Protein backbone atom coordinates (compact mmCIF):
# COMPACT_ATOMS: atom_id res chain seq x y z
CA UNK A 1 0.00 0.00 0.00
CA UNK A 2 1.36 3.35 -1.09
CA UNK A 3 0.67 5.26 2.11
CA UNK A 4 2.41 2.61 4.21
CA UNK A 5 5.45 2.54 1.89
CA UNK A 6 5.69 6.29 2.05
CA UNK A 7 5.86 6.39 5.81
CA UNK A 8 8.33 3.52 5.79
CA UNK A 9 10.62 5.50 3.54
CA UNK A 10 10.37 8.47 5.85
CA UNK A 11 11.40 6.18 8.72
CA UNK A 12 14.60 5.24 6.93
CA UNK A 13 15.62 8.87 6.53
CA UNK A 14 15.22 9.39 10.29
CA UNK A 15 16.75 6.12 11.41
CA UNK A 16 19.27 7.61 13.83
CA UNK A 17 16.71 9.94 15.27
CA UNK A 18 14.28 7.07 15.77
CA UNK A 19 16.94 5.17 17.60
CA UNK A 20 17.64 8.10 19.91
CA UNK A 21 14.34 9.88 20.44
CA UNK A 22 14.56 13.31 22.10
CA UNK A 23 12.31 13.75 25.07
CA UNK A 24 9.87 16.62 24.61
CA UNK A 25 8.72 18.72 27.46
CA UNK A 26 4.94 19.00 27.78
CA UNK A 27 5.24 22.28 29.62
CA UNK A 28 7.35 23.76 26.80
CA UNK A 29 4.71 22.81 24.26
CA UNK A 30 2.01 24.43 26.39
CA UNK A 31 4.08 27.60 26.74
CA UNK A 32 4.58 27.82 22.96
CA UNK A 33 0.86 27.32 22.36
CA UNK A 34 0.03 30.02 24.89
CA UNK A 35 2.42 32.47 23.22
CA UNK A 36 0.95 31.76 19.79
CA UNK A 37 -2.60 32.18 21.11
CA UNK A 38 -1.68 35.45 22.81
CA UNK A 39 -0.08 36.72 19.59
CA UNK A 40 -3.21 35.89 17.60
CA UNK A 41 -5.45 37.65 20.14
CA UNK A 42 -3.29 40.78 20.00
CA UNK A 43 -3.31 40.69 16.19
CA UNK A 44 -7.09 40.39 15.95
CA UNK A 45 -7.55 43.14 18.55
CA UNK A 46 -5.30 45.55 16.65
CA UNK A 47 -7.06 44.76 13.37
CA UNK A 48 -10.47 45.41 14.96
CA UNK A 49 -9.31 48.73 16.40
CA UNK A 50 -7.88 49.78 13.03
CA UNK A 51 -11.11 48.89 11.22
CA UNK A 52 -13.16 50.82 13.79
CA UNK A 53 -10.92 53.84 13.33
CA UNK A 54 -11.48 53.74 9.58
CA UNK A 55 -15.25 53.44 9.95
CA UNK A 56 -15.43 56.27 12.46
CA UNK A 57 -13.17 58.55 10.47
CA UNK A 58 -14.61 61.99 9.79
CA UNK A 59 -15.35 62.25 6.04
CA UNK A 60 -13.85 65.73 6.09
CA UNK A 61 -10.46 64.23 7.07
CA UNK A 62 -10.00 63.03 3.50
CA UNK A 63 -7.42 64.04 0.93
CA UNK A 64 -9.72 66.81 -0.28
CA UNK A 65 -9.88 68.26 3.20
CA UNK A 66 -6.11 68.05 3.70
CA UNK A 67 -5.55 70.40 0.77
CA UNK A 68 -7.76 73.07 2.32
CA UNK A 69 -6.91 75.53 5.04
CA UNK A 70 -8.26 74.76 8.49
CA UNK A 71 -10.40 77.90 8.44
CA UNK A 72 -11.97 76.94 5.13
CA UNK A 73 -12.63 73.41 6.36
CA UNK A 74 -14.40 74.74 9.45
CA UNK A 75 -16.46 77.11 7.30
CA UNK A 76 -17.56 74.26 5.06
CA UNK A 77 -18.39 72.09 8.07
CA UNK A 78 -20.51 74.86 9.58
CA UNK A 79 -22.46 75.25 6.35
CA UNK A 80 -22.89 71.54 5.67
CA UNK A 81 -24.04 70.81 9.22
CA UNK A 82 -27.38 72.46 8.38
CA UNK A 83 -27.93 70.06 5.45
CA UNK A 84 -29.46 66.61 5.35
CA UNK A 85 -26.52 65.18 3.40
CA UNK A 86 -23.38 66.73 4.93
CA UNK A 87 -20.96 64.31 3.26
CA UNK A 88 -21.99 65.14 -0.31
CA UNK A 89 -22.25 68.81 0.71
CA UNK A 90 -18.66 68.82 1.94
CA UNK A 91 -17.44 67.12 -1.22
CA UNK A 92 -19.20 69.71 -3.39
CA UNK A 93 -18.08 72.79 -1.46
CA UNK A 94 -14.50 71.54 -1.12
CA UNK A 95 -14.03 72.10 -4.84
CA UNK A 96 -14.26 75.86 -4.33
CA UNK A 97 -11.13 77.68 -5.47
CA UNK A 98 -9.11 78.04 -2.27
CA UNK A 99 -7.05 80.85 -3.80
CA UNK A 100 -9.93 83.28 -3.33
CA UNK A 101 -11.57 84.35 -0.11
CA UNK A 102 -14.87 82.50 -0.19
CA UNK A 103 -18.10 83.83 1.32
CA UNK A 104 -21.51 82.30 1.87
CA UNK A 105 -22.79 83.58 -1.46
CA UNK A 106 -19.94 81.77 -3.21
CA UNK A 107 -20.71 78.55 -1.35
CA UNK A 108 -24.41 78.76 -2.24
CA UNK A 109 -23.56 79.51 -5.86
CA UNK A 110 -21.26 76.47 -6.01
CA UNK A 111 -23.88 74.25 -4.39
CA UNK A 112 -26.42 75.35 -6.99
CA UNK A 113 -23.95 74.79 -9.83
CA UNK A 114 -23.37 71.23 -8.59
CA UNK A 115 -27.13 70.65 -8.43
CA UNK A 116 -27.53 71.94 -11.99
CA UNK A 117 -24.79 69.59 -13.21
CA UNK A 118 -26.33 66.58 -11.50
CA UNK A 119 -29.80 67.39 -12.79
CA UNK A 120 -28.49 67.90 -16.33
CA UNK A 121 -26.73 64.52 -16.21
CA UNK A 122 -29.90 62.84 -14.95
CA UNK A 123 -31.99 64.45 -17.70
CA UNK A 124 -29.52 63.28 -20.35
CA UNK A 125 -29.67 59.73 -19.02
CA UNK A 126 -33.48 59.74 -19.15
CA UNK A 127 -33.39 60.89 -22.78
CA UNK A 128 -31.28 57.85 -23.68
CA UNK A 129 -33.66 55.30 -22.11
CA UNK A 130 -35.06 52.74 -24.56
CA UNK A 131 -38.60 52.89 -23.14
CA UNK A 132 -38.79 56.69 -23.12
CA UNK A 133 -41.35 56.92 -25.92
CA UNK A 134 -43.54 54.12 -24.55
CA UNK A 135 -43.79 55.42 -21.01
CA UNK A 136 -45.62 58.75 -20.53
CA UNK A 137 -44.23 59.14 -17.00
CA UNK A 138 -40.68 59.24 -18.35
CA UNK A 139 -41.62 62.03 -20.76
CA UNK A 140 -43.26 63.89 -17.90
CA UNK A 141 -40.01 63.62 -15.95
CA UNK A 142 -38.10 65.33 -18.76
CA UNK A 143 -40.56 68.23 -18.69
CA UNK A 144 -40.22 68.44 -14.92
CA UNK A 145 -36.42 68.33 -15.17
CA UNK A 146 -36.46 71.23 -17.63
CA UNK A 147 -38.60 73.25 -15.25
CA UNK A 148 -36.33 72.40 -12.32
CA UNK A 149 -33.24 73.41 -14.29
CA UNK A 150 -34.89 76.72 -15.12
CA UNK A 151 -35.60 77.33 -11.43
CA UNK A 152 -32.03 76.54 -10.42
CA UNK A 153 -30.55 78.73 -13.16
CA UNK A 154 -32.85 81.58 -12.07
CA UNK A 155 -31.48 81.17 -8.55
CA UNK A 156 -27.90 81.48 -9.77
CA UNK A 157 -28.70 84.50 -11.93
CA UNK A 158 -30.52 86.27 -9.10
CA UNK A 159 -27.35 86.48 -7.04
CA UNK A 160 -25.22 88.05 -9.78
CA UNK A 161 -25.37 91.84 -10.13
CA UNK A 162 -23.20 94.63 -11.54
CA UNK A 163 -20.74 94.67 -14.38
CA UNK A 164 -18.39 92.36 -12.48
CA UNK A 165 -21.27 89.97 -11.73
CA UNK A 166 -20.69 90.11 -8.00
CA UNK A 167 -22.65 87.71 -5.81
CA UNK A 168 -25.05 89.70 -3.66
CA UNK A 169 -27.93 88.48 -1.52
CA UNK A 170 -30.82 90.42 -0.01
CA UNK A 171 -33.75 89.19 2.08
CA UNK A 172 -35.96 89.34 -1.00
CA UNK A 173 -33.48 87.36 -3.09
CA UNK A 174 -33.04 84.75 -0.37
CA UNK A 175 -36.81 84.32 -0.22
CA UNK A 176 -37.09 84.02 -4.02
CA UNK A 177 -34.19 81.58 -4.30
CA UNK A 178 -35.62 79.43 -1.53
CA UNK A 179 -38.96 79.30 -3.37
CA UNK A 180 -37.28 78.37 -6.66
CA UNK A 181 -35.11 75.63 -5.20
CA UNK A 182 -38.11 74.24 -3.32
CA UNK A 183 -40.02 74.15 -6.61
CA UNK A 184 -37.12 72.30 -8.27
CA UNK A 185 -37.18 69.72 -5.50
CA UNK A 186 -40.95 69.35 -5.92
CA UNK A 187 -40.40 68.72 -9.63
CA UNK A 188 -38.07 65.84 -8.89
CA UNK A 189 -40.43 64.42 -6.25
CA UNK A 190 -43.32 64.63 -8.74
CA UNK A 191 -41.22 62.71 -11.27
CA UNK A 192 -40.48 60.02 -8.70
CA UNK A 193 -44.16 59.75 -7.74
CA UNK A 194 -45.13 59.28 -11.40
CA UNK A 195 -42.52 56.57 -11.88
CA UNK A 196 -43.71 54.73 -8.78
CA UNK A 197 -47.31 54.83 -9.98
CA UNK A 198 -46.37 53.21 -13.28
CA UNK A 199 -44.20 50.67 -11.46
CA UNK A 200 -41.03 51.73 -13.27
CA UNK A 201 -37.71 51.26 -11.51
CA UNK A 202 -34.32 52.24 -12.86
CA UNK A 203 -32.40 49.09 -13.68
CA UNK A 204 -29.34 51.09 -14.64
CA UNK A 205 -27.12 51.70 -11.62
CA UNK A 206 -25.79 54.87 -13.25
CA UNK A 207 -29.30 56.35 -13.41
CA UNK A 208 -29.93 55.39 -9.79
CA UNK A 209 -26.71 57.04 -8.71
CA UNK A 210 -27.44 60.18 -10.71
CA UNK A 211 -30.96 60.43 -9.26
CA UNK A 212 -29.59 60.17 -5.71
CA UNK A 213 -26.84 62.72 -6.36
CA UNK A 214 -29.40 65.09 -7.85
CA UNK A 215 -31.71 64.68 -4.87
CA UNK A 216 -28.91 65.32 -2.38
CA UNK A 217 -27.47 68.36 -4.15
CA UNK A 218 -30.86 70.09 -4.51
CA UNK A 219 -31.72 69.28 -0.89
CA UNK A 220 -28.36 70.65 0.29
CA UNK A 221 -28.82 73.87 -1.69
CA UNK A 222 -32.29 74.35 -0.22
CA UNK A 223 -31.00 73.79 3.32
CA UNK A 224 -28.18 76.31 2.83
CA UNK A 225 -30.43 79.08 1.53
CA UNK A 226 -33.09 78.31 4.17
CA UNK A 227 -30.46 78.84 6.86
CA UNK A 228 -28.64 81.65 5.06
CA UNK A 229 -29.56 84.45 7.45
CA UNK A 230 -28.46 82.43 10.49
CA UNK A 231 -25.22 81.47 8.75
CA UNK A 232 -24.54 85.09 7.82
CA UNK A 233 -25.10 86.15 11.42
CA UNK A 234 -22.48 83.65 12.54
CA UNK A 235 -20.08 85.44 10.20
CA UNK A 236 -21.00 88.80 11.71
CA UNK A 237 -22.95 89.89 8.65
CA UNK A 238 -26.49 91.16 8.20
CA UNK A 239 -28.81 90.90 5.22
CA UNK A 240 -30.60 93.98 3.94
Amino acid sequence: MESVNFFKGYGKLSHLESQNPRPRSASAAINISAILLFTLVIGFTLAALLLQHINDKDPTDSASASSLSSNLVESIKTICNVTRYPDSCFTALSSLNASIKPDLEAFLDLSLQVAITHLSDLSSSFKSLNDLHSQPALKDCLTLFDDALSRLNDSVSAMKVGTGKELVLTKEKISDIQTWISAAMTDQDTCNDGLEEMGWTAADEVVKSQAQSCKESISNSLAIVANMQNLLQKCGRTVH
Side-chain angles (χ1 to χ4, degrees), residues 114-124 144-150 152 184 188 210 213-214 217-218:
V114 170
I116 290 172
T117 299
H118 287 160
L119 186 54
S120 297
D121 291 341
L122 180 62
S123 180
S124 297
L144 291 166
F145 292 160
D146 287 341
D147 182 71
L149 283 169
S150 178
L152 296 178
Q188 188 180 15
Q210 289 175 337
S213 296
C214 181
S217 58
I218 295 177

Side-chain angles (χ1 to χ4, degrees), residues 42-145:
I42 293 297
F44 283 125
T45 301
L46 290 176
L49 290 174
L50 179 60
L51 180 61
Q52 183 66 33
H53 173 72
I54 294 175
N55 291 335
D56 294 341
K57 188 177 181 181
D58 189 335
T60 60
D61 291 335
S62 62
S64 61
S66 63
S67 64
L68 304 175
S69 68
S70 58
N71 289 338
L72 185 56
V73 168
E74 290 304 316
S75 296
I76 296 175
K77 284 183 179 181
T78 300
I79 296 171
C80 291
N81 281 341
V82 305
T83 68
R84 185 178 178 183
Y85 306 99
D87 290 357
S88 59
C89 172
F90 188 91
T91 299
L93 299 189
S94 295
S95 63
L96 189 68
N97 188 349
S99 63
I100 64 175
K101 184 179 180 180
D103 51 28
L104 285 172
E105 289 86 351
F107 283 124
L108 176 59
D109 178 71
L110 177 58
S111 181
L112 286 168
Q113 297 288 358
V114 170
I116 290 172
T117 299
H118 287 160
L119 186 54
S120 297
D121 291 341
L122 180 62
S123 180
S124 297
S125 293
F126 265 64
K127 291 177 182 178
S128 65
L129 293 174
N130 294 328
D131 49 354
L132 173 63
H133 300 291
S134 62
Q135 300 293 349
L138 294 177
K139 291 183 178 180
D140 291 341
C141 283
L142 289 178
T143 301
L144 291 166
F145 292 160

Side-chain angles (χ1 to χ4, degrees), residues 5-19:
N5 292 334
F6 171 80
F7 283 111
K8 283 183 177 179
Y10 180 83
K12 291 180 180 179
L13 292 175
S14 306
H15 176 72
L16 295 177
E17 184 176 356
S18 63
Q19 295 297 324

Side-chain angles (χ1 to χ4, degrees), residues 108 169 173-175 177-178 181 220-229 231:
L108 176 59
L169 284 177
K173 285 184 178 182
I174 290 176
S175 178
I177 292 172
Q178 184 173 348
I181 299 176
N220 289 340
S221 297
L222 181 59
I224 292 173
V225 73
N227 291 274
M228 182 59 70
Q229 295 194 50
L231 291 170

